[in-house]
Amino acid sequence: QLQLQESGPGLVMTSETLSLTCTVSGGSITVNNFYWAWIRLPPGKGLEWLASIYYSGSTYYSPSLKTRVTISVDTSKNRFSLNLSSVTAADTAVYYCARAQYGSGNWWFDPWGQGTLVTVSS
Amino acid sequence: QSVLTQPPSVSGAPGQRVTISCTGSSSNIGAGYDVYWYQQVPGTAPKLLIYVNSNRPSGVPDRFSGSKSGTSASLAITGLQTGDEADYYCQSFDSSLSGSDVVFGGGTKLTVL
């Protein structure tokens, strides 16, 4: 059974870079036709997709965050990572990693990790 | 403000039927992009509930059904159970002159009375 687990600091200072890692277990990150994604849930708001990556390194970013987000993959460790630069309080959210699929011009996500709360504070 | 609009909350008694709407526009659902639904039981990870508008992944009871028409989609839950209490999110894709992006609804909290 595929499982994803987020890890990283729960508190990040304003203007610094938020860095999270998602470790995949129960399956390989290099499987064909599956991608890997980061999604967040800010308090009181809806879900927001941040980025997706294929094991080959092809990346896909949300236009609204493209200038601040970097997604990367480490196939040797079966994990992928997220960097979000110049954070503000608006970046406070529960961050989820998920396996993604792409088809008919759309993405969908299953399964998801449990999520990790990241608070941005000055 | 989410691109897809969902009611903040719905409620129903055990055994009843409820529906959750997801309203979009001509640049997302109305443009033909498929709709997906996720269920998030408090304290757990979101779970894919419906894919490609009306399909259930293996293990999802047939009490859950999805539909899509025009610029909107709906999730129906019949035979409500206390275990259905959760937040439900719809998701699609939006493509306009300002760019293309995955879009979610703001979420609907289902309370089983």
Side-chain angles (χ1 to χ4, degrees):
Chain A
Q1 178 183 356
L2 191 73
Q3 292 187 316
L4 297 90
Q5 180 65 57
E6 305 88 351
S7 60
L11 180 65
V12 180
M13 296 296 114
T14 300
S15 79
E16 295 190 343
T17 296
L18 178 162
S19 296
L20 296 173
T21 295
C22 180
T23 300
V24 179
S25 59
S28 174
I29 205 170
T30 61
V31 62
N32 287 336
N33 300 319
F34 287 107
Y35 299 73
W36 307 92
W38 288 98
I39 300 153
R40 68 181 181 181
L41 181 62
K45 296 186 178 181
L47 291 162
E48 181 180 22
W49 170 72
L50 304 178
S52 296
I53 191 167
Y54 197 57
Y55 74 86
S56 63
S58 297
T59 55
Y60 309 84
Y61 293 106
S62 169
S64 61
L65 290 165
K66 187 174 184 177
T67 59
R68 298 197 293 130
V69 172
T70 303
I71 189 171
S72 59
V73 63
D74 186 340
T75 56
S76 67
K77 296 182 178 178
N78 222 41
R79 67 188 191 189
F80 61 104
S81 298
L82 173 78
N83 279 352
L84 179 64
S85 63
S86 305
V87 297
T88 69
D91 295 310
T92 293
V94 176
Y95 285 76
Y96 297 96
C97 60
R99 186 180 67 178
Q101 290 182 258
Y102 182 79
S104 301
N106 203 349
W107 295 90
W108 63 102
F109 310 98
D110 178 60
W112 299 50
Q114 287 290 329
T116 185
L117 174 62
V118 178
T119 301
V120 178
S121 176
S122 55
Chain B
Q1 191 111 4
S2 300
V3 173
L4 304 179
T5 302
Q6 298 179 235
S9 64
V10 297
S11 63
Q16 285 189 335
R17 177 182 186 270
V18 296
T19 61
I20 298 173
S21 60
C22 175
T23 303
S25 67
S26 59
S27 63
N28 42 68
I29 298 175
Y33 291 109
D34 295 325
V35 177
Y36 300 80
W37 291 90
Y38 301 89
Q39 176 195 56
Q40 185 173 29
V41 175
T44 70
K47 166 190 162 184
L48 181 66
L49 197 64
I50 297 289
Y51 67 98
V52 189
N53 306 316
S54 59
N55 297 278
R56 288 184 306 277
S58 173
V60 174
D62 59 6
R63 300 187 297 105
F64 295 89
S65 63
S67 63
K68 172 189 160 184
S69 178
T71 59
S72 297
S74 289
L75 174 70
I77 310 172
T78 60
L80 268 181
Q81 300 177 1
T82 55
D84 297 333
E85 281 207 341
D87 293 322
Y88 293 85
Y89 297 90
C90 62
Q91 177 237 313
S92 187
F93 194 81
D94 188 276
S95 184
S96 64
L97 292 176
S98 58
S100 300
D101 203 355
V102 174
V103 289
F104 287 91
T108 298
K109 183 176 182 59
L110 169 63
T111 301
V112 181
L113 304 170

